[in-house]
Amino acid sequence: MSAHPSSVARCVAVVIAAVVVAASAVGAATPLMAQQLPAVLTLEDALALAREYSPVYQRTTNDLDVASASVRSAWGAFLPSLSTSLSFGGSSSRRIIAEDEFGEVIERPQSSTFRSSSASQGISSSLTLFDAAMWRRPAEQRALYAATEAAVDATAVQVTAQVSRAFYQAVRATRDIALEEQLLASARERLERTEELMRLAARNRVDLLGAQEDVLIAEQNLARVRGEADKVRLALSTAIGIEPPSALALDTVLPAVFDPAALDVDQLVARALASSPTVLQRQAALRAAGHRRSAAGASRLPTISASAGYSRSVSAQDFGAIGDIDLPNSGLSFGFGVSLPLFSRFQTAAAIEQADAAADDAAHDLRLARLTAEQQVRSAVIDVTNAYRALQLAEERAALSRERLELTLERYGLGGGSFTELQAVIDRTSQAEREALNARFAFLLARIDLEEILGSRLEL
């Protein structure tokens, strides 16, 4: 008893759907298992995850496989090509016979069916013995592979800088929350002190309303920075290439601040010119363009090739040859050829001119990359220096503001001064604390910018 075709088709469709769903579940489960975050995420952890999951970086690394295949293909031109064939053929025709074998007309014409078949097997090979352009292509492809490696390194540097910025933005958001919590605690403490002084008739309701308003403003600021912290954590997850976790604890220890006066700018410029991925990419592209120009000029030279083949075949007056693999007839062929382009309708000249122009452009691109790298390094060092000076001034101002606030609070606690005066000092101190924190992270981001240009971290 056979199953109905439609029932079989439905069963097959169900099985295929089940397999697809299972495969999707496995594929979806793998990243989740691999994305287990540590209890406290450090910058090194974030960078390691980005190298594994960042779509930008993973997409660039795929180019290495393509470049490697191109190198193998260039070397493969020195190997012989090999192909084999197997074919069967048959024909059947029906003809009306109106004459006999002597040419006499037959009174009653007859129809006859003629059948024939054939089978053939063959193997052939060809080899280029001399092609001047072929000898230059492996070097060109190796240079292009080096350029691809430099591009991957450049992407890795960019991803490192992007993740570092996102990580420290998240750390900054955590520090902002801590600062606003501290300011809120201070506002609540001042409110309690004002309420106590009011009970002692040392303060009036205006001072109490001012203290209550400060608490509300501090609570509002705290809610704002908490929302901003959630946003920057989402940006950090995107930069790494993982799904946003429900909770993310960060290592809030910041790198030590250093005096940029200790930096040797000329040495940094030389380091960038020697190791910058962009410069290395342009150098490899220039080498590849030189080999391509040489190959274009070599296309004027002759090409020598050789070929050989072996075949077997059989024919039959019926269909007996179809499927037959033991064929009695055989043949061997070989040959040599020389090809010299005499006139290619100016196509060779045009290719040479294009290769020359591309090589000149590659040289200009390298020179521009060097000039740009030097300009960027020197500008980045200036930015780091300015950020360091701004940090020193901001921290000094914050220290003065804190001292002034302590004296004002002490005076206010003894019943001296108005709450308006105290509020003005509090506002300036809070702003000084925020600016000092901003300056600290501005210096850190300026350092990351410099390291991105150099292609590696600063060694201090």
Side-chain angles (χ1 to χ4, degrees):
M1 182 175 181
S2 60
H4 194 274
S6 60
S7 300
V8 175
R10 284 195 296 270
C11 293
V12 172
V14 171
V15 173
I16 293 176
V19 172
V20 171
V21 171
S24 302
V26 172
T30 301
L32 293 177
M33 294 174 61
Q35 291 180 15
Q36 295 297 328
L37 299 178
V40 178
L41 184 69
T42 66
L43 177 59
E44 297 301 329
D45 295 332
L47 294 177
L49 289 171
R51 284 190 291 269
E52 186 174 358
Y53 295 108
S54 171
V56 177
Y57 181 71
Q58 294 299 326
R59 183 180 178 214
T60 307
T61 55
N62 290 335
D63 296 338
L64 285 175
D65 297 333
V66 178
S68 178
S70 298
V71 174
R72 290 195 303 270
S73 176
W75 282 112
F78 293 92
L79 301 176
S81 64
L82 185 64
S83 62
T84 183
S85 63
L86 174 65
S87 64
F88 301 99
S91 64
S92 176
S93 62
R94 188 175 183 182
R95 296 170 55 187
I96 302 297
I97 301 177
E99 296 179 355
D100 59 14
E101 56 184 350
F102 302 104
E104 297 293 334
V105 177
I106 300 176
E107 294 182 359
R108 294 183 180 181
Q110 300 176 358
S111 62
S112 299
T113 301
F114 296 89
R115 295 183 179 89
S116 63
S117 60
S118 64
S120 64
Q121 303 168 359
I123 183 170
S124 62
S125 177
S126 63
L127 175 64
T128 301
L129 299 178
F130 176 78
D131 184 352
M134 182 179 67
W135 288 89
R136 291 160 175 80
R137 291 194 182 97
E140 175 190 352
Q141 294 302 323
R142 287 198 303 270
L144 291 176
Y145 183 85
T148 304
E149 282 186 322
V152 173
D153 292 339
T155 303
V157 170
Q158 294 172 1
V159 170
T160 298
Q162 181 183 5
V163 172
S164 299
R165 294 188 187 99
F167 180 84
Y168 285 120
Q169 289 290 356
V171 173
R172 174 180 176 176
T174 303
R175 292 286 189 92
D176 287 339
I177 292 175
L179 175 60
E180 296 301 334
E181 287 177 343
Q182 180 181 356
L183 295 176
L184 175 59
S186 299
R188 287 172 175 170
E189 182 180 352
R190 291 192 301 271
L191 175 60
E192 294 176 357
R193 186 178 303 177
T194 301
E195 291 174 343
E196 182 180 354
L197 292 175
M198 186 175 177
R199 286 192 294 269
L200 298 175
R203 292 296 168 188
N204 54 32
R205 181 164 177 77
V206 174
D207 295 337
L208 178 63
L209 293 175
Q212 291 175 343
E213 182 183 9
D214 282 352
V215 171
L216 293 177
I217 293 175
E219 290 177 346
Q220 184 180 9
N221 290 334
L222 179 58
R224 176 181 54 81
V225 297
R226 282 176 175 171
E228 293 295 328
D230 293 337
K231 291 169 58 177
V232 296
R233 288 192 179 97
L234 291 175
L236 174 59
S237 300
T238 302
I240 295 175
I242 61 176
E243 295 182 0
S246 58
L248 185 62
L250 302 176
D251 179 13
T252 58
V253 178
L254 300 179
V257 177
F258 65 91
D259 188 355
L263 297 176
D264 188 340
V265 181
D266 294 333
Q267 183 180 2
L268 293 179
V269 170
R271 175 179 167 184
L273 296 179
S275 61
S276 171
T278 302
V279 175
L280 295 178
Q281 185 178 5
R282 294 289 181 259
Q283 288 176 346
L286 178 59
R287 292 196 302 271
H291 293 302
R292 193 178 302 114
R293 175 168 57 185
S294 179
S299 61
R300 296 183 183 275
L301 299 177
T303 301
I304 303 175
S305 61
S307 62
Y310 175 75
S311 62
R312 298 196 307 171
S313 63
V314 69
S315 299
Q317 294 183 354
D318 53 15
F319 293 153
I322 296 178
D324 190 3
I325 60 174
D326 186 13
L327 308 182
N329 304 323
S330 62
L332 178 65
S333 63
F334 61 90
F336 295 91
V338 179
S339 174
L340 177 63
L342 298 178
F343 179 66
S344 61
R345 292 174 293 183
F346 306 109
Q347 294 181 359
T348 301
I352 293 175
E353 289 295 333
Q354 292 176 358
D356 289 340
D360 292 340
D361 292 344
H364 294 314
D365 290 341
L366 175 59
R367 181 171 176 269
L368 177 61
R370 290 178 176 273
L371 293 174
T372 302
E374 180 174 359
Q375 176 264 327
Q376 289 178 340
V377 168
R378 295 187 183 277
S379 297
V381 171
I382 294 174
D383 292 339
V384 172
T385 303
N386 292 337
Y388 178 73
R389 293 172 181 171
L391 174 60
Q392 286 183 311
L393 294 175
E395 290 181 342
E396 184 177 354
R397 178 191 171 190
L400 294 175
S401 297
R402 285 192 293 269
E403 183 178 358
R404 181 186 179 188
L405 178 60
E406 290 178 0
L407 296 175
T408 305
L409 285 172
E410 182 179 354
R411 180 187 175 192
Y412 181 78
L414 296 175
S418 66
F419 187 82
T420 302
E421 297 175 351
L422 175 62
Q423 192 174 35
V425 175
I426 292 172
D427 291 341
R428 295 187 63 178
T429 303
S430 300
Q431 185 63 26
E433 294 287 356
R434 295 188 183 98
E435 290 180 356
L437 185 60
N438 293 338
R440 179 70 176 84
F441 282 94
F443 175 81
L444 182 56
L445 294 179
R447 173 180 178 173
I448 293 175
D449 292 340
L450 176 57
E451 291 176 342
E452 182 179 8
I453 297 170
L454 294 176
S456 59
R457 294 186 178 180
L458 289 172
E459 298 176 359
L460 304 172

